[in-house]
Amino acid sequence: MRGGRVLAGRYRLDSLLGRGGMGEVWRATDLRLNRTVAIKVLPSRGASEQAVARFRREAEIAASLQHPGIAVLFDTDTDDGTLFLVMELLDGTDLAAVAARHPQGLPVARAVPILAQLADALAEAHAKGVV
């Protein structure tokens, strides 16, 4: 993937946020609604049928979740062999970066509210059958 590419005539990929086993996540612009979004892409060319099925299942699951601690799924589509999910872009620092700044562990006063928020979001996911 490259920055500047427009998916489905609507979503412009602006900058790469991360890369993992299920593709890449990009900061992008929804050109129709003029808003910043996050887009997770999985190039389906070369992807196994299992990976494609897992990606589509992820979209279905994400669409069923509604919780302040879980990013909202706005859209899913395919563009020239690339499957993608369009999600709410949440500003902030990811938990890995926060933890890295505290190699001896987060102070309890900081960890407890974070863990409470995580537990609440996980409870919502579990209530919808996500394990």
Side-chain angles (χ1 to χ4, degrees):
M1 248 344 90
R2 61 178 167 67
R5 177 174 174 188
V6 176
L7 298 174
R10 177 173 181 177
Y11 303 107
R12 184 187 66 232
L13 302 180
D14 297 326
S15 60
L16 183 65
L17 295 174
R19 181 175 284 129
M22 283 291 291
E24 300 172 339
V25 178
W26 287 79
R27 174 183 293 270
T29 301
D30 178 339
L31 300 171
R32 186 176 306 153
L33 297 176
N34 193 32
R35 68 177 169 183
T36 304
V37 295
I39 295 188
K40 183 174 184 178
V41 297
L42 174 71
S44 59
R45 289 190 187 113
S48 70
E49 286 182 34
Q50 181 182 21
V52 170
R54 204 167 86 203
F55 194 83
R56 289 179 192 223
R57 180 72 183 131
E58 179 182 334
E60 291 172 7
I61 291 168
S64 75
L65 301 175
Q66 231 176 346
H67 184 275
I70 300 172
V72 175
L73 178 70
F74 294 137
D75 195 10
T76 183
D77 206 344
T78 305
D79 181 89
D80 192 31
T82 299
L83 298 168
F84 63 94
L85 308 177
V86 181
M87 301 170 284
E88 171 184 24
L89 178 66
L90 302 173
D91 286 323
T93 306
D94 72 31
L95 188 53
V98 171
R101 289 195 297 257
H102 301 296
Q104 301 304 316
L106 284 174
V108 172
R110 172 88 178 181
V112 168
I114 291 171
L115 291 172
Q117 290 174 40
L118 286 169
D120 194 47
L122 282 172
E124 172 67 18
H126 288 303
K128 299 286 182 162
V130 178
V131 178

